[in-house]
Amino acid sequence: DVKVTQSSRYLVKRTGEKVFLECVQDMDHENMFWYRQDPGLGLRLIYFSYDVKMKEKGDIPEGYSVSREKKERFSLILESASTNQTSMYLCASSFSLSISFSGRAENNEQFFGPGTRLTVL
Amino acid sequence: SQELEQSPQSLIVQEGKNLTINCTSSKTLYGLYWYKQKYGEGLIFLMMLQKGGEEKSHEKITAKLDEKKQQSSLHITASQPSHAGIYLCGVFTRGGSNYKLTFGKGTLLTVNP
């Protein structure tokens, strides 16, 4: 079974602090993702990575950066935490992020970690 | 951008009752994914549909994708308290040069014993 782990389940930080959220997957997946989940807004993609040292902005990258130095690890960094970054952060990984030549979409399912509930005071 | 609607937003049923959750996309999709989330936890993958008319089942949960590949329904038969949680659909589409998985806002299911 795919296992995605996140470094903390709950985190409380102060405004202006630098925050690191770590995610590790054990299935040799190429792709890793960071989302935040807020009531009424659903899941929103912050950043994703399709290979080591490669990253792409998602829908809401402002105020965040990421790092992927090793294939199994994807870190989300809040350079200077603000109260509007209080949220549930979810990491995910997937084997594929494309469609086959025959138009099939297997192996694109994302497997999620347990989430980190971050509170910024 | 991809428009994705889930309905209803929330649902309260009595144990033993059947229920249906719908997911509608404004565009044809390559794949549709159903996930379940317990409060405060991560998402658990349930099943994936990609062919028009395809239907899959997992225990008492059945999901179907319509022929046009724009709408999916998730049906739970004889609901149990263990079915309670948030059900999210995700659609796999192409945006520019990238593919992405876009999620609906979820349906909160409560099952009363």
Side-chain angles (χ1 to χ4, degrees), chain B residues 53-67:
Chain B
E54 185 176 9
E55 183 172 311
K56 285 186 178 177
S57 293
H58 174 70
E59 297 178 347
K60 291 186 177 179
I61 301 175
T62 301
K64 186 171 182 179
L65 183 62
D66 75 337
E67 290 291 343

Side-chain angles (χ1 to χ4, degrees), chain B residues 74-92:
Chain B
L74 184 109
H75 185 77
I76 298 178
T77 304
S79 58
Q80 300 167 1
S82 61
H83 287 127
I86 301 171
Y87 289 83
L88 296 100
C89 66
V91 294
F92 196 71

Side-chain angles (χ1 to χ4, degrees), chain B residues 30-85:
Chain B
Y30 290 104
L32 187 137
Y33 302 78
W34 282 102
Y35 287 84
K36 179 186 174 185
Q37 183 182 29
K38 293 203 168 182
Y39 182 76
E41 297 183 8
L43 280 67
I44 305 297
F45 172 68
L46 295 176
M47 59 191 90
M48 178 253 192
L49 306 164
Q50 61 178 324
K51 296 179 187 175
E54 185 176 9
E55 183 172 311
K56 285 186 178 177
S57 293
H58 174 70
E59 297 178 347
K60 291 186 177 179
I61 301 175
T62 301
K64 186 171 182 179
L65 183 62
D66 75 337
E67 290 291 343
K68 290 185 177 179
K69 295 172 62 174
Q70 286 188 250
Q71 183 169 26
S72 177
S73 57
L74 184 109
H75 185 77
I76 298 178
T77 304
S79 58
Q80 300 167 1
S82 61
H83 287 127

Side-chain angles (χ1 to χ4, degrees), chain B residues 7-8 11 13 18-22 34 62 72-76 107:
Chain B
S7 63
L11 194 52
V13 299
N18 302 336
L19 62 106
T20 299
I21 297 168
N22 294 301
W34 282 102
T62 301
S72 177
S73 57
L74 184 109
H75 185 77
I76 298 178
T107 295

Side-chain angles (χ1 to χ4, degrees), chain A residues 9 35 37 40-43 48 56 59 88 90 97-99 103-106 108-110 112-114, chain B residues 30-31 33 35 37 39-45 48 50-51 69 86 88 92 98-101 103-105:
Chain A
R9 290 298 304 273
Y35 295 88
Q37 185 179 30
L41 297 176
L43 259 71
F48 69 98
E56 289 277 348
D59 300 318
M88 174 71 145
L90 292 161
L97 191 59
S98 63
I99 303 297
R104 299 186 66 80
E106 280 96 0
N108 289 307
E109 60 267 28
Q110 294 179 17
F112 284 79
Chain B
Y30 290 104
Y33 302 78
Y35 287 84
Q37 183 182 29
Y39 182 76
E41 297 183 8
L43 280 67
I44 305 297
F45 172 68
M48 178 253 192
Q50 61 178 324
K51 296 179 187 175
K69 295 172 62 174
I86 301 171
L88 296 100
F92 196 71
N98 290 324
Y99 292 94
K100 62 185 291 187
L101 188 55
F103 290 91
K105 293 183 180 178

